[in-house]
Amino acid sequence: MTDPKGAPGAGLLDRSGSCLVVIDVQQYFLDKLPLDWREPLVARIAWLMRVARILDIPIIATAEDIAQDGPLVAPLMAGLPAGGQVFDKQVFGLHDQPDIRAAVTATGKREFVLVGLETDVCIAHSALGLLGAGYRVAVIDDATASPPPHHDIGLARMGAVGVIRTSVKGVCYEWVRDLATHARVKAQLNVPLPAGLTL
């Protein structure tokens, strides 16, 4: 999807065309991060999943090599829609795995918003694969992570080739767009904001 000027990164993200993708938020990968990053990261992702569900935005979730690295962490499992599947990802770039690629296609969406781990590997590979397949891709800077300095390196790599970089707050407001929807989302969330997040 491009704007009238043809720039893939231009224009606001549209909730009617969006899918949220939660990538590999497993304890194995969280344990690589600085201790003070871990809980806030999971809280921001869980909060954004709640927003997506309120706005009827589909969610695709993956966990890498579940038998070896463990499941998606419990707070995010709880945030999936009833019957939501976690794909057992055996590749770094999710678009390269046939069942996940089929799930991407089945959403009918053209914009994919990526959160999770790790920024410079599975997030970057997935973003670039989706971008190469013709989708519009956004990565959420404060809802992705990799041990420093690799988080910043991964974000720079993606931004340089047209992946949209924004924040949890930014994508929330792009999805919401108007005061009536904002009030509805706020009322239905009915939970405190994650620490450090302001709206």
Side-chain angles (χ1 to χ4, degrees), residues 89-105:
K89 187 164 69 60
Q90 299 294 316
V91 297
F92 299 131
L94 59 81
H95 199 258
D96 291 332
Q97 185 165 313
D99 60 338
I100 307 175
R101 185 168 60 247
V104 165
T105 302

Side-chain angles (χ1 to χ4, degrees), residues 69-85:
D69 297 336
L72 192 70
V73 295
L76 304 190
M77 285 296 298
L80 291 173
Q85 178 181 3

